[in-house]
Amino acid sequence: MRIDIISVLPELITSPFEASILKRAKLKGIAEVHLHNLKDYGLGKHNQVDDYQFGGGAGMVLMCEPLSAIIDSLKAERAYDEIIYLTPDGLTFNQKIANSLSLKGNLMMICGHYKGIDQRIRDKYVSMEISIGDFVLSGGELAAAVVADAVIRLLPGVLNDETSALTDSFQDGLLAPPVYTRPADFKGEKVPDILLSGNFPKIEEWRHEKALQRTQERRPDLLDN
Ligand code: ADE
């Protein structure tokens, strides 16, 4: 998989891709993330990328010309399965969307800043608009990093234990059950006996029960589906 991220502040999200699981995905050749600075396509000697909005009102808007220039140049190199704009008015991101994006080959992500991007770019180029929740970030960069992380960790070979993504919260529509590690007795607080029993069918049954119980308590809306 290849992900191209367009931003006016790419330095905001260099580190998430240089550590841990995302770094491993890159080293193994499974996923590459390319950050592009929109200012490289800015207009005039000041590399202008934003301007006041027509109709008045506070906040700058990312202009059409630099965005269309960078998008066109990327599209000339390869076909994109989705061109995603990160925006609070997009579709709310969830595990189902992460799963479907993990099946794609090339993704482009456009990060808004200030008041966002000119609507004409959304109309002409963007195939999918994603929000990571009902709150407003300073820009789309952190949202792009969140989406990229959730997608890349699903790619076969990225996680050491292939089954571990399958047992994540949400993968089966349920929250994950509680987990424990050593010591079996921490200041008198004991790990549930069943987990020490070695009876794996029973352990699976217990985990499913706990997952169901946790989902019922915390996210009953998930059980409605
Ligand atoms: N840009 C600003 N806020 C955002 C959000 N909640 N999700 C995605 N992109 C954003």
Side-chain angles (χ1 to χ4, degrees):
M1 167 174 280
R2 176 184 169 114
I3 303 180
D4 288 281
I5 302 180
I6 300 170
S7 159
V8 288
L9 280 171
E11 61 269 29
L12 257 180
I13 49 168
T14 47
S15 63
F17 301 109
E18 284 165 7
S20 185
I21 288 170
L22 299 187
K23 180 182 180 185
R24 179 160 7 117
K26 178 177 164 186
L27 293 177
K28 285 182 159 181
I30 298 168
E32 43 183 298
V33 177
H34 297 265
L35 300 174
H36 304 274
N37 195 333
L38 184 62
K39 286 177 192 151
D40 294 342
Y41 290 78
L43 303 183
K45 67 173 193 272
H46 296 297
N47 300 107
Q48 185 184 359
V49 292
D50 59 354
D51 209 339
Y52 296 100
Q53 52 177 316
F54 281 123
M60 306 294 274
V61 175
L62 294 180
M63 303 163 78
C64 289
E65 294 95 323
L67 279 167
S68 75
I70 191 170
I71 295 168
D72 283 339
S73 86
L74 287 169
K75 282 177 70 177
E77 303 275 331
R78 67 196 64 77
Y80 285 88
D81 298 298
E82 298 287 354
I83 298 183
I84 300 167
Y85 174 46
L86 287 310
T87 173
D89 58 12
L91 193 67
T92 306
F93 191 58
N94 59 25
Q95 194 62 38
K96 199 168 155 202
I97 301 173
N99 289 343
S100 80
L101 289 177
S102 75
L103 303 175
K104 312 278 184 183
N106 297 320
L107 302 176
M108 192 189 303
M109 298 189 189
I110 304 169
C111 305
H113 239 271
Y114 321 114
K115 277 286 160 201
I117 67 175
D118 192 295
Q119 181 61 38
R120 289 166 290 184
I121 295 293
R122 296 170 73 162
D123 296 341
K124 179 165 178 203
Y125 292 104
V126 171
S127 61
M128 188 174 197
E129 301 193 326
I130 293 180
S131 163
I132 62 159
D134 291 345
F135 43 80
V136 178
L137 300 164
S138 312
E141 288 76 9
L142 296 176
V146 164
V147 172
D149 181 293
V151 170
I152 290 171
R153 65 192 294 287
L154 294 174
L155 300 175
V158 171
L159 296 181
N160 276 336
D161 179 356
E162 283 273 7
T163 62
S164 80
L166 299 175
T167 56
D168 285 344
S169 278
F170 305 113
Q171 273 311 1
D172 55 2
L174 297 177
L175 300 182
V179 292
Y180 299 85
T181 185
R182 286 186 291 182
D185 183 334
F186 175 65
K187 299 180 181 177
E189 299 291 330
K190 299 211 170 65
V191 169
D193 286 337
I194 181 75
L195 296 178
L196 309 176
S197 69
N199 184 339
F200 295 105
K202 280 271 174 236
I203 290 173
E204 273 319 296
E205 208 176 288
W206 179 89
R207 285 184 172 147
H208 183 72
E209 219 169 85
K210 289 288 171 189
L212 206 57
Q213 186 185 335
R214 188 167 269 191
T215 309
Q216 224 139 29
E217 283 165 11
R218 301 181 179 194
R219 292 292 306 278
D221 57 297
L222 294 177
L223 297 174
D224 296 341
N225 306 317

